[in-house]
Amino acid sequence: MSVGPNIAIIAGLVGDPARAGMLSALMAGRALTASELAQVAGVTVQTASSHLSKLSDGGLIVARKQGRHRYFTLSGDDVAQVLEGLMGLAERTLAKPVRTGPKDPGLRKARICYDHLAGEMGVGLFSACVERGFIKDGAEDLELTKKGRDFFTDYGLDMAALQNARRPVCRPCLDWSARRTHLAGGLGAAILTHFTDRKWAWRVPDTRVIEFSPKGLKEYRALCPA
Amino acid sequence: MSVGPNIAIIAGLVGDPARAGMLSALMAGRALTASELAQVAGVTVQTASSHLSKLSDGGLIVARKQGRHRYFTLSGDDVAQVLEGLMGLAERTLAKPVRTGPKDPGLRKARICYDHLAGEMGVGLFSACVERGFIKDGAEDLELTKKGRDFFTDYGLDMAALQNARRPVCRPCLDWSARRTHLAGGLGAAILTHFTDRKWAWRVPDTRVIEFSPKGLKEYRALCPA
DNA sequence: GACATGCTTCGATCGTACTCGAACTATTCA
DNA sequence: TGAATAGTTCGAGTACGATCGAAGCATGTC
């Protein structure tokens, strides 16, 4: 077997509070600089630098250099997915100590998960896409139907670009708060971008919470009649 | 936010090689005693005892006392799912160091994941169920169709019991080797049990590999014509 | 009752790695 | 060129936890 040690290495990387904080912050999908990450983790930049090297060596994050800044992001949505899973376990098993703050309900309702919508509204979006026949669970995980492609093209998304990208267009992501699937992948990201570009929705600063304008809510309901 | 510390606690539990080994062993779904787990982890029973307390306190495993033995199992398939996810990351990010041993191909082909079939054959089973219309991706994750219920009742499974159980009948589980979904949940477990009860398939001792008899292979093909 | 087995608790040892201050490199701006 | 900002490297201090020997409880067996 000996698969144990390998997962221990990865889990160990996530197992430090400072690094876990950084990864959580990166779940928001935005690229962050080393100093920003140091701040969210509550450590000095020297310490952060060391952690970031480790995360990078471990392949969980990737760095992009831009001028005198280094921007970090998660290395993929598979990382985000595991982090969501860990949050789900923490929620279930640690039970009591969580259950905090006023921000929690907002998080459950709508939040960003790497680069797509999660929480109740994310789950609702996924359900709607399936019910309206835009997405179908084929052999290969999720499949975009012709109907779905046509609909989202009309909707204003650049579907050709999505389908040419290396990233899967549709991908399921298990929601830690709702315990159900929400829509990840290129399409999930594109839909959220569509909303934020039009100021129908935005991120509450320093949180993963997503807020919708009245117009945005209406647009969401048009998309997800359920 | 402060969700960071919580996931760090859980990840930290998995982040120790001895504990990771124990959890991996428990992925096989069988209940194991404290001494057995000590052996697979390569530590003394005292050390193992300490680790098992921590895992238990953290809610990742549950203990059942039976005579002078204590049997441990994972506390649920959500734990198994996160472990699979971590294996996937280890596979992708650590790349080189893995890729070992002769057992690996067997593992990729067919292995047990907690209590259901995983690997290529597990993914194949899931595809077949979807293609044959037994399972449908409804709003609530996966849904057993009437057709599926009828089919598996004829097949000899106690579907009423499955549907009365608290555990979801169908549940997707992301496969670390095939990177696609395989079938978990009560139905996934029941199908595997159906095979092992009839000696159509069995576990290779001390591994997670599942081997099929010629008869078992034939039965599998009948179920998954693809 | 005496003994063996399975497991836990206690205590001491030992490493590992998290941490930060200080010094160093690289980029930008004036 | 010099000053400011972003980030890394180095070294030392520290603490936490993994480990095992020894002793202590249970449970089962003779």
Side-chain angles (χ1 to χ4, degrees):
Chain A
M1 206 72 339
S2 73
V3 67
N6 288 316
I7 81 172
I9 293 172
I10 302 292
L13 285 173
V14 187
D16 175 81
R19 286 192 296 257
M22 294 175 173
L23 291 170
S24 295
L26 290 174
M27 281 287 281
R30 280 226 330 265
L32 297 174
T33 65
S35 0
E36 285 172 321
L37 288 168
Q39 200 187 347
V40 304
V43 295
T44 62
V45 285
Q46 309 93 292
T47 304
S49 179
S50 152
H51 285 308
L52 290 169
S53 304
K54 286 172 191 172
L55 288 173
S56 195
D57 290 347
L60 295 184
I61 63 174
V62 290
R64 188 165 33 89
K65 193 160 187 177
Q66 204 168 91
R68 59 180 165 185
H69 293 275
R70 274 185 84 196
Y71 284 96
F72 293 89
T73 54
L74 297 184
S75 66
D77 58 0
D78 51 352
V79 177
Q81 223 159 324
V82 169
L83 292 174
E84 276 271 323
L86 285 169
M87 290 177 196
L89 289 183
E91 177 87 353
R92 174 169 77 78
T93 63
L94 306 179
K96 309 299 146 47
V98 193
R99 198 63 43 173
T100 53
K103 274 178 280 171
D104 230 41
L107 266 188
R108 276 164 206 286
K109 182 127 192 272
R111 67 175 178 282
I112 192 166
C113 172
Y114 188 48
D115 60 3
H116 54 268
L117 185 63
E120 284 165 33
M121 291 181 74
V123 171
L125 173 62
F126 176 75
S127 305
C129 285
V130 171
E131 270 167 26
R132 295 180 68 177
F134 299 158
I135 292 176
K136 153 165 165 288
D137 195 325
E140 315 267 321
D141 285 330
L142 258 36
E143 194 184 324
L144 182 70
T145 61
K146 171 150 185 357
K147 191 173 169 191
R149 191 194 147 86
D150 291 346
F151 175 85
F152 284 114
T153 304
D154 280 352
Y155 198 68
L157 306 188
D158 184 352
M159 297 307 285
L162 283 186
Q163 292 188 304
N164 286 333
R166 245 194 343 189
R167 177 177 190 192
V169 177
C170 303
R171 198 153 146 69
C173 185
L174 187 65
D175 203 283
W176 66 259
S177 58
R179 298 275 212 133
R180 282 165 51 189
T181 301
H182 62 245
L183 180 63
L187 180 59
I191 293 174
L192 180 57
T193 307
H194 188 83
F195 271 70
T196 51
D197 280 355
R198 283 163 185 70
K199 309 269 184 270
W200 293 347
W202 53 84
R203 297 186 39 221
V204 178
D206 300 324
T207 74
R208 288 172 61 198
V209 176
I210 304 252
E211 273 182 0
F212 284 76
S213 70
K215 166 81 172 157
L217 261 185
K218 220 174 115 194
E219 291 287 341
Y220 174 84
R221 293 233 187 74
L223 199 54
C224 314
Chain B
M1 205 72 342
S2 73
V3 68
N6 288 317
I7 82 172
I9 293 172
I10 302 292
L13 286 173
V14 188
D16 174 80
R19 286 192 294 260
M22 293 175 173
L23 292 171
S24 295
L26 291 173
M27 282 286 281
R30 281 226 329 265
L32 297 174
T33 65
S35 357
E36 285 172 323
L37 288 167
Q39 200 187 347
V40 304
V43 294
T44 62
V45 285
Q46 308 93 293
T47 305
S49 180
S50 152
H51 286 308
L52 290 169
S53 305
K54 287 173 191 172
L55 288 174
S56 195
D57 289 348
L60 295 185
I61 63 175
V62 291
R64 188 164 33 89
K65 194 161 185 177
Q66 204 169 91
R68 59 181 164 183
H69 293 275
R70 274 186 85 196
Y71 284 96
F72 293 89
T73 53
L74 297 185
S75 68
D77 58 0
D78 51 353
V79 177
Q81 224 159 322
V82 170
L83 292 175
E84 276 270 322
L86 286 169
M87 291 178 197
L89 290 183
E91 178 86 352
R92 174 168 78 77
T93 62
L94 305 180
K96 309 299 145 50
V98 194
R99 198 63 44 173
T100 53
K103 275 179 279 172
D104 231 42
L107 266 187
R108 277 165 205 284
K109 180 127 194 272
R111 67 175 179 281
I112 194 167
C113 172
Y114 189 48
D115 59 3
H116 54 268
L117 187 63
E120 285 165 33
M121 291 181 75
V123 171
L125 173 62
F126 176 75
S127 305
C129 285
V130 172
E131 271 167 26
R132 296 181 67 178
F134 299 157
I135 293 175
K136 152 163 166 290
D137 197 325
E140 314 266 322
D141 286 330
L142 259 33
E143 195 184 322
L144 182 69
T145 61
K146 173 151 183 355
K147 191 173 168 190
R149 190 194 147 86
D150 292 345
F151 175 85
F152 285 114
T153 303
D154 281 352
Y155 198 68
L157 306 187
D158 184 353
M159 297 307 286
L162 284 186
Q163 292 188 304
N164 286 334
R166 247 192 343 190
R167 177 177 190 191
V169 177
C170 304
R171 197 153 148 66
C173 185
L174 187 65
D175 203 284
W176 65 259
S177 57
R179 298 277 212 130
R180 284 165 50 191
T181 300
H182 62 244
L183 180 63
L187 180 59
I191 293 175
L192 181 57
T193 306
H194 188 81
F195 271 70
T196 51
D197 279 355
R198 284 163 185 70
K199 309 270 186 272
W200 293 347
W202 54 82
R203 297 184 40 220
V204 179
D206 301 324
T207 74
R208 286 173 61 199
V209 177
I210 304 251
E211 273 182 0
F212 285 75
S213 71
K215 167 80 173 161
L217 262 184
K218 219 174 116 192
E219 291 287 342
Y220 174 83
R221 292 232 187 75
L223 199 55
C224 315

